[in-house]
Amino acid sequence: MPDVTRTRSPAMMLPMLGSPGSSWALYRSRLKALFEEADLRVCSAFWLFGLINNVLYVIILSAALDLVGPNIPKGVVLLADDLPSFLTKLLAPYFIHTITYPVRIFIIVSLSICGMLLIAFTPTSTDSSTVSTKMAGIILASFASGGGELSFLSLTHYYGHFSLAAWASGTGGAGLVGAGAYVISTTSLGLSVRTSLLVFSFLPVIMLFDFFVLLPRGPLKAASKHQGVRSESLLSNSSESHLQASDDPQEYSLTMNDNEALLGGSAQSIPKHREDSAFETGWRGFQANLKRSRGLFFPYMLPLLLVYIAEYTINQGVAPTLLFPLASTPFKHYRAFYPTYNAIYQTGVFVSRSSTPFIRVHNLYLPSILQVVNLLLLTVHALFDFIPSVYIIFGVIFWEGLLGGLVYVNTFAEITDRVPKEEREFSLGATSVSNSGGVCIAGFLSMAFEVWLCEWQVTHGRSYCKQS
């Protein structure tokens, strides 16, 4: 029977403050018990992994208006920032296990830095040639982000529940730090876009320290040693079967059948088995992983896909048109709306992605459906302008971030709790394709949405979307 890690006991979940069963003493004791098994180095390492891997993605989206100008749909930036990541998550789970984690880290860091430097050193004009060069830099950074998310989610398999919670919190923090840092550097501090991006481009170096110094390597080494011992044992059994063949042909045949069932071999001799086993094992692993992916789709992938389609269509297609007369807002320029919405959204994401030690959501479809309702509400407002204040929009955007973060972190928490241990590493990485797939679909939708909504507003006397 597969070894399924049990879910956290409900008795260990924190009581709701103010409920009959709660008191400050009980709350403190359960909070202490909840975190007593957490390793500070592991939690810190995975929080930084989540932060650094995602922060450049957020910075690029926050800078979308400055990178391509007001006349190009921001969905173009979203697609360049996510499509390579989507392709990486779609294909890499079937072969990335052949690349060791240290090598992956170096590749991720190199691609991130090169991509950001290419964006930063490209002239600030928005003609077609410079925009194309910026898109090339964004694509490099996107490959790095996709490979990083796939690798670090898989890595949480070796470090337990708290590593996943820390990773998710770090990704939420990346949204908050990235969006906030870009707004502060370009609006509050008055730094140029180029200077800001140049400073941010060296953040991935932190990953090297994080992996090679901060993260305890014991669980990885132990897992590698266990896998090596298991492989040697299986090959040893095959060799013994071969040596016994001359003494008892019938016993040899039976023993070989047993080993073939275990190793998947169809060879008649050990040398041929050794020659063919690598290809056969790889092919069987690929087929098994495809089957696992199908089993992951409805319970985990689909709700994650839906919530990302809705929220990123809001962020890139609808939000650029959620504009009000400047006199009724805290802003001096129309360009300030977009990064501010993004910062508020990322605040909600950070709060909800940090919530799993306290709140668990098992019905993943409910927040996904509520996110679709958000999309409909904000789209109707962009058309008919019935919400009277930008501050109400701030609240809706924050709620949007909460819903998106809840689905993300609880999807992977449910996988950690419910998927058999031997399938968990693959399942965590493979399911991450859903958020990138949702963002890619949203990228195409948002390009159409932004153009449609902006043209509607202009024809009805509201030309704010054409101003900066």
Side-chain angles (χ1 to χ4, degrees), residues 224-246:
S224 177
K225 182 178 179 181
H226 173 73
Q227 291 169 357
V229 169
R230 186 183 179 196
S231 298
E232 289 177 6
S233 175
L234 293 177
L235 289 175
S236 175
N237 290 340
S238 297
S239 298
E240 291 174 3
S241 301
H242 177 66
L243 291 173
Q244 293 168 359
S246 59

PDB file of all heavy atoms in Angstrom, residues 224-246:
ATOM      1  N   SER A 224      18.931  10.930  -1.617  1.00  0.00           N
ATOM      2  CA  SER A 224      19.805  10.469  -2.694  1.00  0.00           C
ATOM      3  C   SER A 224      20.455   9.142  -2.335  1.00  0.00           C
ATOM      4  O   SER A 224      20.538   8.223  -3.154  1.00  0.00           O
ATOM      5  CB  SER A 224      20.873  11.534  -2.967  1.00  0.00           C
ATOM      6  OG  SER A 224      21.767  11.094  -3.961  1.00  0.00           O
ATOM      7  N   LYS A 225      20.899   9.007  -1.084  1.00  0.00           N
ATOM      8  CA  LYS A 225      21.528   7.766  -0.636  1.00  0.00           C
ATOM      9  C   LYS A 225      20.528   6.618  -0.655  1.00  0.00           C
ATOM     10  O   LYS A 225      20.835   5.508  -1.089  1.00  0.00           O
ATOM     11  CB  LYS A 225      22.079   7.964   0.779  1.00  0.00           C
ATOM     12  CG  LYS A 225      22.791   6.737   1.325  1.00  0.00           C
ATOM     13  CD  LYS A 225      23.344   7.026   2.714  1.00  0.00           C
ATOM     14  CE  LYS A 225      24.040   5.787   3.281  1.00  0.00           C
ATOM     15  NZ  LYS A 225      24.572   6.045   4.639  1.00  0.00           N
ATOM     16  N   HIS A 226      19.283   6.892  -0.214  1.00  0.00           N
ATOM     17  CA  HIS A 226      18.249   5.865  -0.191  1.00  0.00           C
ATOM     18  C   HIS A 226      17.941   5.365  -1.597  1.00  0.00           C
ATOM     19  O   HIS A 226      17.826   4.161  -1.837  1.00  0.00           O
ATOM     20  CB  HIS A 226      16.980   6.416   0.453  1.00  0.00           C
ATOM     21  CG  HIS A 226      15.800   5.487   0.370  1.00  0.00           C
ATOM     22  ND1 HIS A 226      15.704   4.346   1.125  1.00  0.00           N
ATOM     23  CD2 HIS A 226      14.674   5.535  -0.403  1.00  0.00           C
ATOM     24  CE1 HIS A 226      14.578   3.719   0.831  1.00  0.00           C
ATOM     25  NE2 HIS A 226      13.935   4.421  -0.080  1.00  0.00           N
ATOM     26  N   GLN A 227      17.849   6.297  -2.550  1.00  0.00           N
ATOM     27  CA  GLN A 227      17.563   5.910  -3.933  1.00  0.00           C
ATOM     28  C   GLN A 227      18.702   5.090  -4.522  1.00  0.00           C
ATOM     29  O   GLN A 227      18.494   4.131  -5.258  1.00  0.00           O
ATOM     30  CB  GLN A 227      17.285   7.153  -4.771  1.00  0.00           C
ATOM     31  CG  GLN A 227      15.979   7.835  -4.413  1.00  0.00           C
ATOM     32  CD  GLN A 227      15.840   9.199  -5.067  1.00  0.00           C
ATOM     33  OE1 GLN A 227      16.745   9.668  -5.757  1.00  0.00           O
ATOM     34  NE2 GLN A 227      14.708   9.843  -4.835  1.00  0.00           N
ATOM     35  N   GLY A 228      19.937   5.473  -4.170  1.00  0.00           N
ATOM     36  CA  GLY A 228      21.089   4.733  -4.667  1.00  0.00           C
ATOM     37  C   GLY A 228      21.130   3.319  -4.128  1.00  0.00           C
ATOM     38  O   GLY A 228      21.387   2.350  -4.855  1.00  0.00           O
ATOM     39  N   VAL A 229      20.867   3.148  -2.835  1.00  0.00           N
ATOM     40  CA  VAL A 229      20.845   1.820  -2.224  1.00  0.00           C
ATOM     41  C   VAL A 229      19.761   0.955  -2.841  1.00  0.00           C
ATOM     42  O   VAL A 229      19.955  -0.218  -3.134  1.00  0.00           O
ATOM     43  CB  VAL A 229      20.642   1.949  -0.698  1.00  0.00           C
ATOM     44  CG1 VAL A 229      20.349   0.587  -0.084  1.00  0.00           C
ATOM     45  CG2 VAL A 229      21.862   2.575  -0.050  1.00  0.00           C
ATOM     46  N   ARG A 230      18.574   1.581  -3.086  1.00  0.00           N
ATOM     47  CA  ARG A 230      17.469   0.825  -3.670  1.00  0.00           C
ATOM     48  C   ARG A 230      17.821   0.339  -5.068  1.00  0.00           C
ATOM     49  O   ARG A 230      17.549  -0.800  -5.448  1.00  0.00           O
ATOM     50  CB  ARG A 230      16.225   1.696  -3.703  1.00  0.00           C
ATOM     51  CG  ARG A 230      14.985   0.940  -4.167  1.00  0.00           C
ATOM     52  CD  ARG A 230      13.796   1.871  -4.247  1.00  0.00           C
ATOM     53  NE  ARG A 230      12.631   1.142  -4.710  1.00  0.00           N
ATOM     54  CZ  ARG A 230      11.543   1.728  -5.175  1.00  0.00           C
ATOM     55  NH1 ARG A 230      11.469   3.036  -5.216  1.00  0.00           N
ATOM     56  NH2 ARG A 230      10.514   1.019  -5.585  1.00  0.00           N
ATOM     57  N   SER A 231      18.449   1.201  -5.887  1.00  0.00           N
ATOM     58  CA  SER A 231      18.834   0.808  -7.249  1.00  0.00           C
ATOM     59  C   SER A 231      19.851  -0.313  -7.229  1.00  0.00           C
ATOM     60  O   SER A 231      19.763  -1.287  -7.992  1.00  0.00           O
ATOM     61  CB  SER A 231      19.397   2.028  -7.991  1.00  0.00           C
ATOM     62  OG  SER A 231      18.424   3.030  -8.100  1.00  0.00           O
ATOM     63  N   GLU A 232      20.859  -0.210  -6.326  1.00  0.00           N
ATOM     64  CA  GLU A 232      21.870  -1.259  -6.235  1.00  0.00           C
ATOM     65  C   GLU A 232      21.246  -2.586  -5.820  1.00  0.00           C
ATOM     66  O   GLU A 232      21.618  -3.651  -6.301  1.00  0.00           O
ATOM     67  CB  GLU A 232      22.936  -0.842  -5.222  1.00  0.00           C
ATOM     68  CG  GLU A 232      23.819   0.304  -5.723  1.00  0.00           C
ATOM     69  CD  GLU A 232      24.818   0.735  -4.658  1.00  0.00           C
ATOM     70  OE1 GLU A 232      24.875   0.056  -3.614  1.00  0.00           O
ATOM     71  OE2 GLU A 232      25.528   1.722  -4.889  1.00  0.00           O
ATOM     72  N   SER A 233      20.259  -2.528  -4.921  1.00  0.00           N
ATOM     73  CA  SER A 233      19.596  -3.740  -4.461  1.00  0.00           C
ATOM     74  C   SER A 233      18.851  -4.428  -5.593  1.00  0.00           C
ATOM     75  O   SER A 233      18.917  -5.647  -5.755  1.00  0.00           O
ATOM     76  CB  SER A 233      18.636  -3.405  -3.322  1.00  0.00           C
ATOM     77  OG  SER A 233      17.910  -4.541  -2.940  1.00  0.00           O
ATOM     78  N   LEU A 234      18.158  -3.623  -6.397  1.00  0.00           N
ATOM     79  CA  LEU A 234      17.399  -4.204  -7.509  1.00  0.00           C
ATOM     80  C   LEU A 234      18.333  -4.847  -8.528  1.00  0.00           C
ATOM     81  O   LEU A 234      18.084  -5.951  -9.022  1.00  0.00           O
ATOM     82  CB  LEU A 234      16.547  -3.125  -8.167  1.00  0.00           C
ATOM     83  CG  LEU A 234      15.408  -2.557  -7.315  1.00  0.00           C
ATOM     84  CD1 LEU A 234      14.705  -1.444  -8.086  1.00  0.00           C
ATOM     85  CD2 LEU A 234      14.424  -3.633  -6.928  1.00  0.00           C
ATOM     86  N   LEU A 235      19.450  -4.173  -8.865  1.00  0.00           N
ATOM     87  CA  LEU A 235      20.396  -4.728  -9.826  1.00  0.00           C
ATOM     88  C   LEU A 235      21.077  -5.969  -9.268  1.00  0.00           C
ATOM     89  O   LEU A 235      21.362  -6.931  -9.981  1.00  0.00           O
ATOM     90  CB  LEU A 235      21.427  -3.663 -10.201  1.00  0.00           C
ATOM     91  CG  LEU A 235      20.899  -2.526 -11.075  1.00  0.00           C
ATOM     92  CD1 LEU A 235      21.989  -1.479 -11.277  1.00  0.00           C
ATOM     93  CD2 LEU A 235      20.419  -3.051 -12.418  1.00  0.00           C
ATOM     94  N   SER A 236      21.333  -5.963  -7.966  1.00  0.00           N
ATOM     95  CA  SER A 236      21.944  -7.125  -7.323  1.00  0.00           C
ATOM     96  C   SER A 236      21.030  -8.341  -7.420  1.00  0.00           C
ATOM     97  O   SER A 236      21.470  -9.454  -7.713  1.00  0.00           O
ATOM     98  CB  SER A 236      22.254  -6.811  -5.866  1.00  0.00           C
ATOM     99  OG  SER A 236      22.746  -7.951  -5.203  1.00  0.00           O
ATOM    100  N   ASN A 237      19.733  -8.125  -7.194  1.00  0.00           N
ATOM    101  CA  ASN A 237      18.768  -9.218  -7.316  1.00  0.00           C
ATOM    102  C   ASN A 237      18.761  -9.781  -8.733  1.00  0.00           C
ATOM    103  O   ASN A 237      18.661 -10.981  -8.949  1.00  0.00           O
ATOM    104  CB  ASN A 237      17.370  -8.747  -6.944  1.00  0.00           C
ATOM    105  CG  ASN A 237      17.235  -8.467  -5.452  1.00  0.00           C
ATOM    106  OD1 ASN A 237      18.023  -8.953  -4.658  1.00  0.00           O
ATOM    107  ND2 ASN A 237      16.214  -7.679  -5.093  1.00  0.00           N
ATOM    108  N   SER A 238      18.860  -8.865  -9.726  1.00  0.00           N
ATOM    109  CA  SER A 238      18.874  -9.314 -11.126  1.00  0.00           C
ATOM    110  C   SER A 238      20.110 -10.149 -11.408  1.00  0.00           C
ATOM    111  O   SER A 238      20.061 -11.169 -12.094  1.00  0.00           O
ATOM    112  CB  SER A 238      18.834  -8.101 -12.056  1.00  0.00           C
ATOM    113  OG  SER A 238      17.643  -7.394 -11.881  1.00  0.00           O
ATOM    114  N   SER A 239      21.277  -9.728 -10.858  1.00  0.00           N
ATOM    115  CA  SER A 239      22.523 -10.448 -11.091  1.00  0.00           C
ATOM    116  C   SER A 239      22.467 -11.831 -10.466  1.00  0.00           C
ATOM    117  O   SER A 239      22.913 -12.828 -11.050  1.00  0.00           O
ATOM    118  CB  SER A 239      23.697  -9.661 -10.498  1.00  0.00           C
ATOM    119  OG  SER A 239      23.818  -8.428 -11.130  1.00  0.00           O
ATOM    120  N   GLU A 240      21.904 -11.937  -9.248  1.00  0.00           N
ATOM    121  CA  GLU A 240      21.781 -13.229  -8.592  1.00  0.00           C
ATOM    122  C   GLU A 240      20.904 -14.165  -9.411  1.00  0.00           C
ATOM    123  O   GLU A 240      21.171 -15.362  -9.533  1.00  0.00           O
ATOM    124  CB  GLU A 240      21.216 -13.057  -7.188  1.00  0.00           C
ATOM    125  CG  GLU A 240      22.196 -12.363  -6.241  1.00  0.00           C
ATOM    126  CD  GLU A 240      21.571 -12.072  -4.895  1.00  0.00           C
ATOM    127  OE1 GLU A 240      20.395 -12.477  -4.694  1.00  0.00           O
ATOM    128  OE2 GLU A 240      22.245 -11.460  -4.043  1.00  0.00           O
ATOM    129  N   SER A 241      19.852 -13.619 -10.002  1.00  0.00           N
ATOM    130  CA  SER A 241      18.970 -14.436 -10.840  1.00  0.00           C
ATOM    131  C   SER A 241      19.739 -15.012 -12.017  1.00  0.00           C
ATOM    132  O   SER A 241      19.567 -16.169 -12.403  1.00  0.00           O
ATOM    133  CB  SER A 241      17.797 -13.593 -11.336  1.00  0.00           C
ATOM    134  OG  SER A 241      17.071 -13.074 -10.258  1.00  0.00           O
ATOM    135  N   HIS A 242      20.619 -14.193 -12.601  1.00  0.00           N
ATOM    136  CA  HIS A 242      21.395 -14.634 -13.757  1.00  0.00           C
ATOM    137  C   HIS A 242      22.351 -15.760 -13.367  1.00  0.00           C
ATOM    138  O   HIS A 242      22.515 -16.737 -14.093  1.00  0.00           O
ATOM    139  CB  HIS A 242      22.170 -13.441 -14.312  1.00  0.00           C
ATOM    140  CG  HIS A 242      23.057 -13.798 -15.463  1.00  0.00           C
ATOM    141  ND1 HIS A 242      22.574 -14.222 -16.673  1.00  0.00           N
ATOM    142  CD2 HIS A 242      24.416 -13.797 -15.562  1.00  0.00           C
ATOM    143  CE1 HIS A 242      23.577 -14.459 -17.501  1.00  0.00           C
ATOM    144  NE2 HIS A 242      24.717 -14.215 -16.856  1.00  0.00           N
ATOM    145  N   LEU A 243      22.996 -15.640 -12.194  1.00  0.00           N
ATOM    146  CA  LEU A 243      23.955 -16.637 -11.763  1.00  0.00           C
ATOM    147  C   LEU A 243      23.281 -17.970 -11.435  1.00  0.00           C
ATOM    148  O   LEU A 243      23.888 -19.032 -11.569  1.00  0.00           O
ATOM    149  CB  LEU A 243      24.718 -16.126 -10.529  1.00  0.00           C
ATOM    150  CG  LEU A 243      25.674 -14.954 -10.784  1.00  0.00           C
ATOM    151  CD1 LEU A 243      26.218 -14.436  -9.454  1.00  0.00           C
ATOM    152  CD2 LEU A 243      26.810 -15.367 -11.718  1.00  0.00           C
ATOM    153  N   GLN A 244      22.026 -17.913 -11.007  1.00  0.00           N
ATOM    154  CA  GLN A 244      21.322 -19.128 -10.645  1.00  0.00           C
ATOM    155  C   GLN A 244      20.753 -19.870 -11.859  1.00  0.00           C
ATOM    156  O   GLN A 244      20.261 -20.982 -11.736  1.00  0.00           O
ATOM    157  CB  GLN A 244      20.160 -18.809  -9.697  1.00  0.00           C
ATOM    158  CG  GLN A 244      20.626 -18.312  -8.335  1.00  0.00           C
ATOM    159  CD  GLN A 244      19.481 -17.734  -7.538  1.00  0.00           C
ATOM    160  OE1 GLN A 244      18.348 -17.695  -8.005  1.00  0.00           O
ATOM    161  NE2 GLN A 244      19.778 -17.268  -6.326  1.00  0.00           N
ATOM    162  N   ALA A 245      20.824 -19.278 -13.024  1.00  0.00           N
ATOM    163  CA  ALA A 245      20.141 -19.848 -14.194  1.00  0.00           C
ATOM    164  C   ALA A 245      20.669 -21.228 -14.553  1.00  0.00           C
ATOM    165  O   ALA A 245      19.910 -22.123 -14.912  1.00  0.00           O
ATOM    166  CB  ALA A 245      20.290 -18.906 -15.392  1.00  0.00           C
ATOM    167  N   SER A 246      22.011 -21.449 -14.479  1.00  0.00           N
ATOM    168  CA  SER A 246      22.570 -22.718 -14.922  1.00  0.00           C
ATOM    169  C   SER A 246      22.206 -23.868 -13.992  1.00  0.00           C
ATOM    170  O   SER A 246      22.168 -25.013 -14.403  1.00  0.00           O
ATOM    171  CB  SER A 246      24.100 -22.595 -15.016  1.00  0.00           C
ATOM    172  OG  SER A 246      24.621 -22.249 -13.732  1.00  0.00           O
TER     173      SER A 246
END
